Amino acid sequence: MNDSTPDKLERLLRRDAHAPVSDAGFTARVMGALPPRAQSIHHAWLSPALILGSAALGSALAIAFAPVGANVVQGFFDLASSRTLTQAAMSGLAMTGALLLYAIVLALDTE
């Protein structure tokens, strides 16, 4: 076998791959038997608006249910200085977690 045989075989296979396959009308019958496509009303802005609204609501709830005297900004300063168990730091982490969760949901949305 010489070096040109695989190239010749590949050319033959590629040429045959482009040739139409006779199915005696099978494809047309199957496509005709399928039910019509459902008309869906899809607004491109609806899904991101719902997820962003949910993120805002989750953040507001994280702040609202934070312990009394827990300042979210102070919590981020506490986290920056490695004081993670303060009430402010916990409320900041809760708010960040809510935003992260909704960001992941938005990123994984495949529609």
Side-chain angles (χ1 to χ4, degrees), residues 32-52:
L34 291 174
R37 225 178 241 187
Q39 296 294 327
S40 65
I41 299 174
H42 179 71
H43 299 289
W45 57 269
L46 185 60
S47 180
L50 288 174
I51 293 176
L52 288 174

